[in-house]
């Protein structure tokens, strides 16, 4: 049961607004922090189920500002690869318990931060050349899988898209389109697995205005806010929530 008490809204409202800002203005890369935050107060499956309709609302709110500004060849490769990735995620979900889901979500959260710290320190170098089309399919596969189990498809998709030397707006528009399709693909298996409940639906209805507000803020922040500041805040949140989820899973 999702208890719609004061603690729930104190945690959920900022998490949903943060997801809207990330998806609306910064390529969806750290939107999955919202699921990590919610998993601190909800069962992981409940957190994932609650966030999916919210993410779909944000997708719709952000499609129009970036309409047809995407790189269609790159988006197509990622979407084609994502379909089997979503299927793999659904198969794994059926075979896991809550602690393994916490470990997966927490591990992806902390691993994402470690990867970016390694890049910023020069320990890991970016790709000098554009990755070939098969790499786009593989990135889509990984994005579909990680998106299903933790809403964390942004990082693998970003690795491929950044290698394509897209403009800031092309990158953002492409991720909006790709994850709009991936989230639609996830909805059916989420429903089939019984992850949605009347409680999550009611919570989504109450949180939808905050999702739209976050998306609106994100689109404007895309043009105004420092990416370094935004991602700095995001990395702190991911490290704290991811570490807590890993601890809870192992103890």
């Amino acid at each position: 049961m999702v208890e719609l008490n004061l603690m729930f809204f104190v945690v959920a409202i900022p998490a949903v607004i943060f997801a809207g800002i990330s998806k609306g203005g910064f390529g969806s890369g750290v939107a999955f922090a919202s699921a990590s935050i919610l998993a601190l107060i909800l069962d992981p499956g409940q957190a994932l189920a609650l966030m999916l309709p919210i993410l779909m609302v944000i997708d719709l709110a952000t499609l129009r500002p970036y309409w047809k500004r995407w790189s269609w060849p790159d988006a197509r490769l990622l979407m084609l690869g994502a379909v089997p990735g979503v299927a793999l995620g659904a198969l794994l979900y059926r075979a896991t318990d809550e602690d393994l889901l916490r470990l997966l979500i927490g591990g992806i959260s902390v691993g994402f931060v470690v990867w970016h710290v390694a890049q910023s320190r020069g320990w890991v170098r970016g790709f000098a050349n554009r990755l070939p089309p098969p790499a786009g399919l593989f990135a889509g596969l990984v994005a579909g899988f990680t998106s299903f189990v933790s809403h964390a498809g942004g990082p693998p998709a970003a690795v491929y898209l950044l290698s394509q030397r897209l403009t800031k707006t092309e990158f953002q528009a492409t991720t909006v389109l790709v994850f709009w399709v991936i989230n639609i693909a996830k909805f059916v298996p989420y429903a089939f697995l019984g992850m949605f409940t009347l409680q999550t639906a009611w919570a989504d209805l109450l949180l939808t205005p905050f999702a739209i507000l976050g998306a609106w803020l994100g689109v404007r922040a895309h043009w105004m806010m420092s990416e370094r500041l935004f991602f700095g805040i995001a990395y702190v949140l991911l490290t704290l929530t991811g570490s807590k989820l890993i601890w809870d899973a192992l103890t």
Side-chain angles (χ1 to χ4, degrees), residues 17-251:
I17 293 174
F18 183 84
I21 293 172
S22 178
K23 287 180 69 65
F26 299 93
S28 302
V30 292
F32 72 96
S34 300
S36 301
I37 293 169
L38 286 175
L40 296 175
I41 61 169
L42 302 175
D43 291 337
Q46 290 178 332
L48 294 174
L50 191 151
M51 279 305 302
L52 180 57
I54 292 293
L55 295 174
M56 295 174 74
V57 168
I58 297 170
D59 290 335
L60 287 175
T62 53
L63 266 176
R64 183 176 178 181
Y66 299 109
W67 189 255
K68 291 187 177 181
R69 297 187 178 188
W70 47 68
S71 170
W72 172 247
D74 295 315
R76 181 179 57 200
L77 286 172
L78 290 171
M79 290 186 292
L80 287 174
V83 174
V86 168
L88 285 174
L91 290 173
L92 177 66
Y93 185 87
R94 292 177 64 93
T96 59
D97 60 17
E98 292 178 358
D99 282 334
L100 182 55
L101 277 176
R102 289 189 181 95
L103 190 61
L104 283 171
I105 296 171
I108 290 170
S109 299
V110 175
F112 177 69
V113 176
V114 171
W115 169 261
H116 278 273
V117 169
Q119 280 191 316
S120 65
R121 296 293 180 88
W123 302 335
V124 178
R125 293 186 178 182
F127 298 101
N129 300 314
R130 294 186 179 184
L131 290 173
L137 291 172
F138 180 73
L141 175 73
V142 178
F145 174 78
T146 55
S147 183
F148 191 94
V149 300
S150 65
H151 296 319
V159 170
Y160 172 75
L161 290 176
L162 289 172
S163 78
Q164 303 306 299
R165 310 293 191 267
L166 304 180
T167 67
K168 177 182 176 181
T169 300
E170 283 177 329
F171 175 86
Q172 171 63 20
T174 303
T175 59
V176 167
L177 175 63
V178 168
F179 287 101
W180 175 55
V181 172
I182 289 177
N183 286 333
I184 291 173
K186 286 157 51 180
F187 190 88
V188 173
Y190 267 46
F192 181 76
L193 291 167
M195 296 172 68
F196 299 123
T197 65
L198 288 176
Q199 288 79 21
T200 61
W202 180 236
D204 285 329
L205 184 63
L206 294 174
L207 292 171
T208 290
F210 299 100
I212 295 172
L213 171 63
W216 181 82
L217 291 172
V219 171
R220 279 146 186 79
H222 176 75
W223 307 107
M224 299 171 58
M225 185 179 182
S226 164
E227 292 185 18
R228 183 174 183 178
L229 173 61
F230 176 81
F231 283 112
I233 295 170
Y235 297 156
V236 172
L237 289 173
L238 286 169
T239 301
L240 293 175
T241 57
S243 298
K244 179 63 165 58
L245 289 172
I246 292 171
W247 174 261
D248 290 345
L250 297 177
T251 58

